[in-house]
Amino acid sequence: MVRVISERLTRPAPLDALFAVLFAAAVVAGTVGAAPGQAGSRPLDVSGVLLLVAAALPAAGLRRTAPIWALGTTTLLVNAYLLAGYPYGPVLLCLVLAVFEVARQRPMSVSAPACAAAAVVSSATIFARVVGDHRATALLALAWTGWSLLPWSLGALIHVGNASRARARHDLIARTALEERMRIAGEVHDIAGHGFALITMQAQVALLVFEEQPEQARRSLEAVRDTSSTSLADLRRMLDTFHPRPAPRPAPRAADASASGSDPAGVAGLNELIGQVRAGGLTVRVAVDGGADLPEPLNSTVYRVVQEALTNVLRHAGPTQAQVTIDRHEGQVRVRVTDRGIGTPDTVGPPGRGLSGMRRRVEELHGRLEVGPRADGGFEVRAWLPLPEVTG
């Protein structure tokens, strides 16, 4: 009832108004044609025509903007028409249309009681009219009740289908937004996490040798500057994909090429990555056999796996050395990063955002990732990435 009272009446659209006029004209014309064959009915006069028009206009004109009001008004006028003894005919279609629209647009908790009330009132009206008329039986009233269930059932079925599709669209949008947030979080982690790990390592080196080895401290601070500039440029480039800048930036000078935002991700960019890690004090040995010239996104995924693995070595392994191996075998690219640090089955905790992002990247390419401590000490990351099939 609250829904009925709170529904606002709005002016129907021009097409709805035109449809209402045509529908009312059809109802009047159809009733005029059906009246001669109904002996005992009241002749259709001006009052009857006005009742027909008054019942048809809201049923057709308000069916989309205010279906509850249309049903209530139509029920009242149609029953007034029938109680007055006017002939049966298309006037009953006004109720059918109103019941259908309420069931189609409103949930069953609203449409069921509203349409049931309209059906009961209409059936009582028809029953009162046929009492004393030996040519009609009370079954006519029961038949009308059953007939009114048909438009309600059809409208309710359409409403349920529309609601289901709307929920599916909403769930799809929410799931897509969540996946995009996770992807962005992974990108930020890959860029900022690696940069901060290197910056922390270089800053610690600079603090340790600041007085005894000022030249080494200077090189460490320069590495901090270069790493932070590169990471900032990478973050800006990533953000530009979501919010492009209105005007292109000036071409960078040659000396600033490393900070201009060129994407180093890929096997070709591993030299720069390894150089940054070695500058942070970690000894890294590299063996690349047939891993160059990989297609995207396989190329970037190999780079990110190595980057995240070395970042974890810098953060957690302590003083150690790392080994990076990339090769091709049986239609796959194999990536292996190991260290001999302090990782053991007892010291390794649950996977963090970096390992989760690494696994997501690998599995998106239908690959396989294994991470964990080595039996003789240290930690190992192994990834198998299938090479795309060459067609043609």
Side-chain angles (χ1 to χ4, degrees):
M1 294 300 293
V2 174
R3 184 64 172 272
V4 175
I5 296 173
S6 62
E7 188 173 63
R8 298 177 60 184
L9 284 171
T10 58
R11 179 180 299 177
L15 288 179
D16 288 338
L18 177 61
F19 175 75
V21 172
L22 295 177
F23 181 73
V27 168
V28 172
T31 304
V32 170
Q38 301 183 36
S41 296
R42 179 177 173 179
L44 189 62
D45 52 18
V46 175
S47 298
V49 172
L50 291 178
L51 282 173
L52 287 174
V53 173
L57 287 177
L62 300 178
R63 72 188 192 283
R64 293 197 297 183
T65 57
I68 296 294
W69 282 101
L71 176 62
T73 305
T74 301
T75 300
L76 176 64
L77 294 171
V78 168
N79 283 279
Y81 172 89
L82 295 175
L83 286 176
Y86 289 112
Y88 297 104
V91 66
L92 297 178
L93 293 179
C94 299
L95 276 176
V96 171
L97 179 61
V99 167
F100 171 78
E101 288 296 337
V102 169
R104 185 181 69 87
Q105 299 184 48
R106 298 293 182 261
M108 284 191 287
S109 59
V110 174
S111 68
C115 294
V120 169
V121 171
S122 300
S123 298
T125 297
I126 294 177
F127 182 79
R129 178 166 172 169
V130 300
V131 170
D133 187 351
H134 300 292
R135 290 166 299 183
T137 66
L139 292 177
L140 181 62
L142 296 177
W144 169 249
T145 302
W147 168 249
S148 63
L149 288 175
L150 182 60
W152 178 84
S153 300
L154 181 59
L157 182 63
I158 295 175
H159 177 82
V160 170
N162 291 338
S164 177
R165 286 189 291 272
R167 285 194 299 270
R169 286 194 299 270
H170 179 272
D171 293 342
L172 177 62
I173 293 173
R175 185 167 60 252
T176 303
L178 177 60
E179 292 174 354
E180 184 65 11
R181 287 197 296 270
M182 293 176 61
R183 188 186 70 81
I184 294 173
E187 292 286 346
V188 172
H189 178 275
D190 290 343
I191 295 172
H194 176 73
F196 287 142
L198 289 176
I199 289 172
T200 300
M201 180 71 70
Q202 294 286 3
Q204 290 174 346
V205 172
L207 288 174
L208 287 175
V209 301
F210 184 76
E211 295 181 355
E212 293 82 1
Q213 303 179 38
E215 190 60 30
Q216 176 61 43
R218 178 184 178 84
R219 288 196 297 269
S220 296
L221 291 176
E222 289 175 348
V224 168
R225 179 200 61 194
D226 296 340
T227 302
S228 60
S229 298
T230 301
S231 298
L232 182 59
D234 289 341
L235 284 174
R236 285 174 175 170
R237 185 183 64 254
M238 186 194 70
L239 294 176
D240 284 345
T241 62
F242 299 99
H243 301 285
R245 302 189 180 190
R249 289 171 291 176
R253 299 189 305 271
D256 297 330
S258 62
S260 64
S262 59
D263 191 357
V267 177
L270 287 179
N271 290 333
E272 181 180 350
L273 173 67
I274 299 301
Q276 293 174 349
V277 173
R278 285 171 176 167
L282 176 65
T283 301
V284 182
R285 293 180 296 177
V286 183
V288 178
D289 182 12
D293 301 326
L294 294 175
E296 293 294 345
L298 183 60
N299 194 37
S300 297
T301 300
V302 170
Y303 179 92
R304 294 303 186 188
V305 168
V306 175
Q307 181 189 54
E308 179 60 28
L310 292 179
T311 300
N312 287 336
V313 174
L314 286 172
R315 288 176 172 174
H316 308 300
T320 185
Q321 62 181 9
Q323 172 72 43
V324 177
T325 304
I326 302 173
D327 60 12
R328 300 192 188 195
H329 181 70
E330 296 182 353
Q332 292 182 321
V333 176
R334 300 186 301 184
V335 183
R336 185 168 181 256
V337 182
T338 61
D339 67 76
R340 296 187 176 277
I342 60 175
T344 66
D346 296 329
T347 60
V348 176
R353 185 185 299 275
L355 289 179
S356 299
M358 187 194 309
R359 186 177 301 279
R360 174 182 58 80
R361 288 178 181 274
V362 172
E363 291 178 350
E364 283 178 353
L365 300 181
H366 308 288
R368 180 164 57 96
L369 179 73
E370 292 182 1
V371 296
R374 303 172 62 190
D376 55 349
F379 201 81
E380 182 176 40
V381 174
R382 291 183 295 177
W384 293 265
L385 297 163
L387 286 165
E389 296 182 0
V390 179
T391 59

